[in-house]
Amino acid sequence: MEANETPDTRSLTDAKSIEVPRRVLSERRTEFVRIIVQCLYSLGYRRAAATLESESGVSLDSPEYTALFFDVMAGRWDDCIATIESIEDMDCGARAAAAFLVWKEHFLELLGLKDGFLMARDVLSERIAPLDMDRQRVHGLARLLISSEGIVNVEDRVRRRLGLLLDLVEVLPPWVRVPSARLEHLVEMTVLKQIAACFYHNSPGEVTLYEDHKCSQEQIPSKCSQILYDHKNEVWFVQFSHNGDYLASSSRDCTAIIWTVNKDDSISLRHVLEGHMKPISFLAWSPNDRMLLTCGNGEALKLWDVCNGMCKFTFTGGANRIISSCAWFPESEKIVCGSWEPDNRIFTCDLEGNELEVWEGERMPKVTDLAVTPDGRCLISICSNKEILIRDFHRGNEWKIHEEHSITSLSLSSDGQFLIVNLNSEEIHLWNINVSSSLPDKFRGHKQGKYVIRSCFGGSNSLFIASGSEDSQIYIWQLHREMPIKILTGHSMTVNCVSWNPAKPHMLASASDDRTVRIWMANVNNNTKFHM
């Protein structure tokens, strides 16, 4: 005890220190009860809500809102303004906006009366004009004195006044009237925050309110369930179809293979696509998953029928042109191609090879990779190894993102809002296509210096990024974390490409120089299968 502190004064001090938390707890209790009451009413449990109000002594509606309700419905406008003025925690702008709404309704109702013109003019000049509001809104009301548009007839008053109450709730402090579905919103935000904080969330539809959400590492594809040995040389590319029913792989052996993803998550061979004379470095599924494009390394582009495995068309581009990359437009009726031999060029064409649009010329840079956003709005191309060129067809403009190191590959998110690029500096950069920024999100840990390594988005809500690596491993990152959360081992040589099944977030495929495609599963307990 301090020398100048008596027992009585100390107990008084302690009482004051406890008083604030108790007051806060009381306020929180009132807020909590009001939110529960609002939820019960919205769910249709009116008797339960009324009983809770009665037993707790806490009403859903504040006295201010109750007063506003009766005054608005009775057209007691001065009383409405008095209630608004009595609300203490409102800034001047919100108070003026609320007053404007009240006087505007009064003004329009007066215009609906046969002898209300002069009174409406007085309300405009004496009540509305002095408010600190946008003058154009005031002038708009003044014009109604002449045109009489938007006036409120007597039969529309009840509907209009109920609408006024809803508009007032939007500008008044939230405690005046509990926002609609407030409890549901709080619960949803809590769940979303728990999901965002979960390193391994990859379980759509499994979030429950009965316990805090936390996924285990087993939610991430990490166990090899199947090894596909059908290619006879290095496998350079692998990609699931959009519906997740098929997998396609391409190889240095000059073939591509279409695989079927069975209901039991096993993979079976469907078609071997033969016809290229050189290694196939790239492939692309049509948005409707009925066709597949294969791009030979320094060779023509071929279009295949997924159903029968037959080649439908060979795109040459004319003049012995070598197509290096390609992408589909969303309607599955048009493609875009990039080439750098005999000259740098980007062109679109239909499925019979007829050119539709061409971008070429001396200033056209070398294009190494292409993508089109799912809505067909933007064309994204990798130019001169270190630039990402984004062309917006709707707005007719384009912009560039510059990288310091060479870009080896490009991948788009399923919603077309984000892109990732692999760099030979052993980094993956994530860019938001619609936001101007000079600082991308970065992902590190994998090995890449000499070869083309391809990464992808994947998992539940595309919350993860996966990439191959020159150290024969697969790296997986959570979207908001720089270092990998999972490293998969099994391949014996460079992993060139990975693909996450868009319909089955528990399934991942990888392609390697060891001539195999591996299928990785989450929560797989069965023995590894080997497809011969």
Side-chain angles (χ1 to χ4, degrees):
M1 183 185 301
E2 297 291 339
N4 61 347
E5 185 179 41
T6 67
D8 290 338
T9 57
R10 188 175 68 168
S11 62
L12 181 61
T13 303
D14 291 343
K16 289 182 178 179
S17 66
I18 296 174
E19 181 181 352
V20 174
R22 285 178 177 171
R23 178 177 57 80
V24 171
L25 287 174
S26 177
E27 291 175 354
R28 288 289 179 267
R29 172 185 171 278
T30 299
E31 293 176 2
F32 189 54
V33 171
R34 291 182 68 195
I35 289 173
I36 292 177
V37 170
Q38 193 273 337
C39 180
L40 289 172
Y41 275 121
S42 68
L43 293 173
Y45 303 128
R46 304 188 65 83
R47 284 191 296 176
T51 299
L52 179 55
E53 286 182 289
S54 176
E55 291 187 2
S56 66
V58 177
S59 298
L60 169 62
D61 295 329
S62 66
E64 289 81 1
Y65 179 80
T66 301
L68 275 176
F69 177 84
F70 288 108
D71 290 337
V72 166
M73 297 310 294
R76 296 190 290 264
W77 310 115
D78 287 314
D79 291 340
C80 291
I81 297 300
T83 299
I84 292 171
E85 292 294 333
S86 70
I87 300 175
E88 297 180 354
D89 55 342
M90 286 184 70
D91 59 48
C92 295
R95 202 181 301 277
F100 177 82
L101 291 171
V102 171
W103 292 126
K104 174 186 173 183
E105 180 64 25
H106 185 31
F107 170 80
L108 294 175
E109 289 188 13
L110 288 173
L111 284 181
L113 300 176
K114 292 182 179 180
D115 55 351
F117 178 84
L118 294 179
M119 290 185 289
R121 186 189 62 183
D122 292 341
V123 169
L124 181 64
S125 60
E126 298 175 8
R127 303 290 193 175
I128 298 177
L131 296 173
D132 186 16
M133 296 295 294
D134 181 3
R135 304 319 295 171
Q136 290 186 354
R137 300 181 70 180
V138 179
H139 294 159
L141 294 179
R143 286 192 290 271
L144 298 182
L145 290 171
I146 301 174
S147 66
S148 297
E149 295 180 4
I151 62 174
V152 178
N153 296 317
V154 175
E155 57 269 21
D156 292 332
R157 281 185 180 179
V158 173
R159 179 182 59 84
R160 288 280 309 188
R161 290 176 181 181
L162 288 172
L164 171 60
L165 278 168
L166 295 176
D167 292 339
L168 285 173
V169 167
E170 294 297 320
V171 298
L172 295 175
W175 61 263
V176 174
R177 174 72 170 177
V178 178
S180 178
R182 181 60 182 166
L183 182 58
E184 291 91 332
H185 175 73
L186 290 173
V187 171
E188 181 181 4
M189 292 303 297
T190 300
V191 171
L192 291 176
K193 286 184 178 180
Q194 289 188 4
I195 290 174
C198 179
F199 272 35
Y200 307 106
H201 179 71
N202 193 32
S203 52
E206 296 184 9
V207 178
T208 176
L209 300 182
Y210 293 122
E211 61 181 358
D212 291 343
H213 176 74
K214 186 178 181 181
C215 292
S216 68
Q217 293 189 37
E218 294 181 352
Q219 297 292 334
I220 305 299
S222 55
K223 294 184 179 180
C224 182
S225 64
Q226 196 168 354
I227 303 176
L228 310 177
Y229 285 104
D230 294 73
H231 283 294
K232 308 307 177 186
N233 211 322
E234 298 170 355
V235 188
W236 287 354
F237 203 98
V238 66
Q239 190 176 70
F240 283 102
S241 60
H242 299 89
N243 59 16
D245 291 341
Y246 303 105
L247 176 69
S249 57
S250 66
S251 169
R252 191 175 181 178
D253 65 8
C254 307
T255 70
I257 297 178
I258 297 176
W259 312 83
T260 297
V261 180
N262 301 307
K263 291 183 179 180
D264 63 355
D265 291 336
S266 64
I267 308 296
S268 58
L269 191 148
R270 182 179 178 90
H271 300 297
V272 177
L273 310 181
E274 298 178 314
H276 281 282
M277 304 304 294
K278 294 184 179 182
I280 302 174
S281 58
F282 187 85
L283 51 82
W285 289 94
S286 64
N288 62 14
D289 293 325
R290 297 174 183 172
M291 295 168 284
L292 184 72
L293 287 171
T294 56
C295 191
N297 192 20
E299 196 189 0
L301 182 71
K302 290 183 180 292
L303 176 67
W304 304 85
D305 187 309
V306 173
C307 182
N308 58 30
M310 301 299 293
C311 181
K312 294 168 63 74
F313 194 81
T314 298
F315 301 84
T316 61
N320 297 318
R321 190 168 304 282
I322 295 175
I323 298 173
S324 58
S325 55
C326 60
W328 290 86
F329 282 86
E331 66 277 5
S332 297
E333 297 176 354
K334 184 173 70 171
I335 64 173
V336 59
C337 302
S339 66
W340 68 69
E341 291 184 18
D343 54 5
N344 298 332
R345 198 168 188 253
I346 297 177
F347 62 95
T348 62
C349 61
D350 61 24
L351 301 188
E352 296 179 351
N354 300 309
E355 291 188 357
L356 305 174
E357 297 173 281
V358 178
W359 296 273
E360 59 185 347
E362 295 181 0
R363 300 181 62 183
M364 186 69 193
K366 177 182 177 180
V367 177
T368 58
D369 209 345
L370 287 171
V372 177
T373 53
D375 59 3
R377 177 175 178 173
C378 292
L379 169 65
I380 303 168
S381 52
I382 305 302
C383 303
S384 303
N385 293 327
K386 295 183 179 181
E387 289 183 342
I388 305 168
L389 176 64
I390 303 174
R391 178 177 286 110
D392 190 321
F393 293 118
H394 292 185
R395 296 180 180 177
N397 63 336
E398 60 182 38
W399 62 97
K400 292 180 180 180
I401 298 173
H402 298 273
E403 290 281 9
E404 294 182 3
H405 300 275
S406 294
I407 303 170
T408 65
S409 64
L410 161 71
S411 182
L412 274 181
S413 61
S414 58
D415 60 6
Q417 300 298 308
F418 300 91
L419 63 86
I420 48 177
V421 289
N422 279 59
L423 309 175
N424 64 4
S425 61
E426 299 190 337
E427 286 187 350
I428 297 172
H429 288 183
L430 181 148
W431 296 91
N432 188 326
I433 296 174
N434 299 311
V435 176
S436 177
S437 173
S438 59
L439 296 174
D441 291 336
K442 300 179 180 181
F443 305 90
R444 299 183 175 95
H446 66 302
K447 304 299 179 183
Q448 180 180 1
K450 298 186 296 182
Y451 304 122
V452 174
I453 302 295
R454 298 184 182 275
S455 57
C456 69
F457 291 90
S460 178
N461 297 321
S462 296
L463 290 174
F464 301 95
I465 290 174
S467 177
S469 178
E470 292 178 8
D471 62 4
S472 75
Q473 300 183 114
I474 299 161
Y475 289 76
I476 297 176
W477 295 264
Q478 211 269 356
L479 199 58
H480 304 294
R481 289 172 173 82
E482 182 176 342
M483 300 307 294
I485 62 171
K486 200 77 174 177
I487 301 175
L488 312 184
T489 60
H491 285 290
S492 59
M493 299 180 72
T494 296
V495 180
N496 300 303
C497 183
V498 293
S499 179
W500 214 306
N501 191 317
K504 297 185 175 185
H506 58 278
M507 178 181 288
L508 180 73
S510 58
S512 171
D513 282 352
D514 65 10
R515 303 186 177 188
T516 69
V517 174
R518 284 180 177 249
I519 307 301
W520 306 85
M521 299 291 294
N523 291 322
V524 174
N525 298 315
N526 56 314
N527 295 328
T528 301
K529 300 176 183 177
F530 296 89
H531 182 88
M532 302 299 293

